[in-house]
Amino acid sequence: MKKFNVLIVGCGNIAGGYDSSDDDSNNILTHAKAFKLHKGFFLCGCVDPNIKALKNFSDYWGIDRTYSNLNDALKDNIKYDVISICSPTSSHYIDLKMSINAKPKLIFCEKPIADNINDAKKIVNICKDLKIELAVNHTRRWNKNIQKFKHELNL
């Protein structure tokens, strides 16, 4: 089975922190754990300007390549199939623009993708034109607690 190379941008809670105290269960709250548990993906790089957070994240999730900025990660000799953007909201638009230049198969970004609708439309259209899949994480439908709650509401 081919594994898709994943780069995670931002090493905070949604990237992997929320799962750092519960890594043995199948309950998935973060990007890193979701990719780690799926046999089709390989976590091969992560980016964060906070060197301590970067080291802790890479050590915990077993990621060898670390970068203090996205530009260095994209200049490295790695073809990232998936770029998962978990950086602070204010960085999403610029991180998306830089990621698009790497031409991954998929960009998975936390919401919102931009500060305004015009920039969001630009990103969506560029991805569409370049045939880069763009997924925006804005739901928790996969969360077992949310699924249970939905089931209870439907009773």
Side-chain angles (χ1 to χ4, degrees), residues 76-136:
D76 203 348
N77 196 23
I78 297 286
K79 171 63 177 151
Y80 292 106
D81 301 298
V82 178
I83 300 177
S84 197
I85 299 177
C86 310
S87 56
T89 298
S90 61
S91 303
H92 288 180
Y93 180 69
I94 192 72
D95 290 344
L96 280 160
K97 284 177 51 175
M98 291 176 70
S99 296
I100 285 168
N101 290 330
K103 296 186 178 141
K105 293 176 181 11
L106 168 69
I107 299 174
F108 185 37
C109 186
E110 285 296 316
K111 68 172 179 356
I113 62 172
D115 291 334
N116 64 71
I117 192 68
N118 291 328
D119 286 345
K121 285 179 180 179
K122 283 183 207 173
I123 292 296
V124 169
N125 289 330
I126 293 168
C127 286
K128 190 180 292 184
D129 290 345
L130 295 175
K131 295 182 178 27
I132 298 171
E133 295 292 330
L134 174 63
V136 180

Side-chain angles (χ1 to χ4, degrees), residues 5 7 9 16-17 31-35 41 51 62-63 67 80 88 98 110 112-113 123 138 146 155:
N5 288 333
L7 174 67
V9 181
H31 293 241
K33 188 171 182 181
F35 289 122
F41 297 96
I51 302 304
I63 301 172
Y67 310 91
Y80 292 106
M98 291 176 70
E110 285 296 316
I113 62 172
I123 292 296
H138 65 279
I146 300 298
L155 291 178

Side-chain angles (χ1 to χ4, degrees), residues 50-57:
N50 180 322
I51 302 304
K52 183 178 179 185
L54 180 64
K55 178 163 180 21
N56 289 342
F57 186 88

